[in-house]
Amino acid sequence: MPHLTASAAARRIAGGEQLGFGVPGYAHPLLAPAEWAELARPGTPLHWAVLNIANGPGSRPDPHCLEAAGRLRNARERALHGEAPDDTVRASGGRLLGHLDLAHGERPFDELIADARSFIDWYRIGGFYLARCPADRARLPAVRRLTGTLHALLAESDSADGGGRLVLGHGTHPYPGYAEAADQLVTFQGPWTDYRWSQVAEWTADYPPERFAHFVHGVPRTHLEEAMRVARWQGAGTIFFTDRNDRDGRSGQSDPFAALPSYWDEIVSRIGPGISE
């Protein structure tokens, strides 16, 4: 099992928090229609999903992405306005996040804000996923400036209820100060062979599970229960597990998170209220 201090482990297992999905970015809706349809299906325990057209919003609105965004937004509205049982409100209330590539802190601020405005204007997204976010202390002030501006843009829009959601895609444990710069941090992204023996930073025990997300590829079906146990022990409330890996040609994608895992129905039933027709 991964290393945890005794006090941190006790904090993780005492709450029995419910896991949910964060989807780092499915393929274009034309290439992954089943994936996008599943996001809006009642009973899917979705926290959020990322829309990424061309490493960002693209140069103009994409009609297929507009349709997919609209379906997910409508599913969220139906759930939040009480047209479904309470467990499905929790499960189907997922936000659509726009993909902003920070290039480890190298992209200019103005470019990022321009992309953010396009996402809001065209797709009425409910937040942002800041991919390749830096993790070092020196870059923290720039990231805080960016997230502060993004929160202000979302607060001004009519699509981001509650001010929107910001997720920092570090993929590793960053300097602790990043926890105050956004709503959630991705503190692991990588293969199951690393995840099952991974260690959690002790400072994360000061925050609830909804502040952390883990993305793991190459998880065999026979190890799903173990993977969920690792996530709970390490204090992650949002996950995406898949048996695909970065050398898997089954989906025609090099990104293991671009398509559904082969055990999608099983993991949905284990985590959420189950798929309902």
Side-chain angles (χ1 to χ4, degrees):
M1 286 296 297
H3 170 75
L4 275 175
T5 64
S7 59
R11 179 187 180 100
R12 284 350 185 236
I13 62 177
E17 292 85 359
Q18 182 70 43
L19 294 173
F21 293 125
V23 179
Y26 282 148
H28 190 280
L30 276 178
L31 300 176
E35 282 77 359
W36 284 96
E38 284 296 320
L39 295 182
R41 190 173 181 178
T44 300
L46 178 67
H47 291 168
W48 47 263
V50 177
L51 179 64
N52 183 13
I53 293 88
N55 205 30
S59 59
R60 61 181 62 85
D62 182 301
H64 303 286
C65 293
L66 286 169
E67 182 181 359
R71 285 199 302 267
L72 185 57
R73 187 167 54 249
N74 290 339
R76 176 175 170 81
E77 287 296 316
R78 288 194 301 270
L80 295 179
H81 288 292
E83 296 180 20
D86 288 344
D87 58 356
T88 309
V89 170
R90 176 196 63 75
S92 296
R95 297 176 186 269
L96 185 66
L97 308 183
H99 175 104
L100 297 178
D101 184 0
L102 271 60
H104 306 295
E106 297 300 323
R107 283 197 68 198
F109 176 85
D110 291 345
E111 282 186 13
L112 291 165
I113 296 303
D115 279 358
R117 291 185 185 277
S118 294
F119 267 122
I120 292 173
D121 293 344
W122 298 342
Y123 301 105
R124 299 182 60 205
I125 46 83
F128 293 101
Y129 179 76
L130 279 59
R132 296 201 293 171
C133 185
D136 58 298
R137 183 175 184 174
R139 302 271 189 176
L140 177 57
V143 172
R144 290 182 66 92
R145 178 193 177 205
L146 176 62
T147 58
T149 304
L150 293 175
H151 268 308
L153 290 176
L154 290 165
E156 293 171 359
S157 74
D158 61 357
S159 61
D161 53 284
R165 185 167 187 82
L166 299 182
V167 179
L168 302 184
H170 306 285
T172 188
H173 287 96
Y175 175 72
Y178 282 91
E180 303 305 321
D183 301 290
Q184 193 173 56
L185 312 180
V186 178
T187 53
F188 185 93
Q189 180 167 341
W192 166 242
T193 50
D194 291 343
Y195 187 61
R196 68 184 308 188
W197 307 116
S198 61
Q199 298 184 3
V200 64
E202 293 188 8
W203 62 263
T204 63
D206 295 333
Y207 297 89
E210 61 263 25
R211 301 298 305 280
F212 303 104
H214 292 169
F215 301 148
V216 190
H217 60 79
V219 181
R221 181 190 299 270
T222 53
H223 289 276
L224 269 179
E225 192 62 40
E226 181 184 354
M228 287 189 284
R229 189 161 59 246
V230 172
R232 291 188 175 102
W233 271 67
Q234 293 201 6
T238 301
I239 62 167
F240 193 87
F241 296 156
T242 180
D243 53 343
R244 302 181 187 278
N245 58 61
D246 54 8
R247 296 175 301 279
D248 193 340
R250 286 178 293 170
S251 64
Q253 296 284 336
S254 59
D255 180 358
F257 303 111
L260 288 171
S262 66
Y263 45 62
W264 173 254
D265 284 358
E266 179 178 346
I267 194 171
V268 167
S269 66
R270 288 190 184 209
I271 292 175
I275 293 177
S276 58
E277 297 296 341

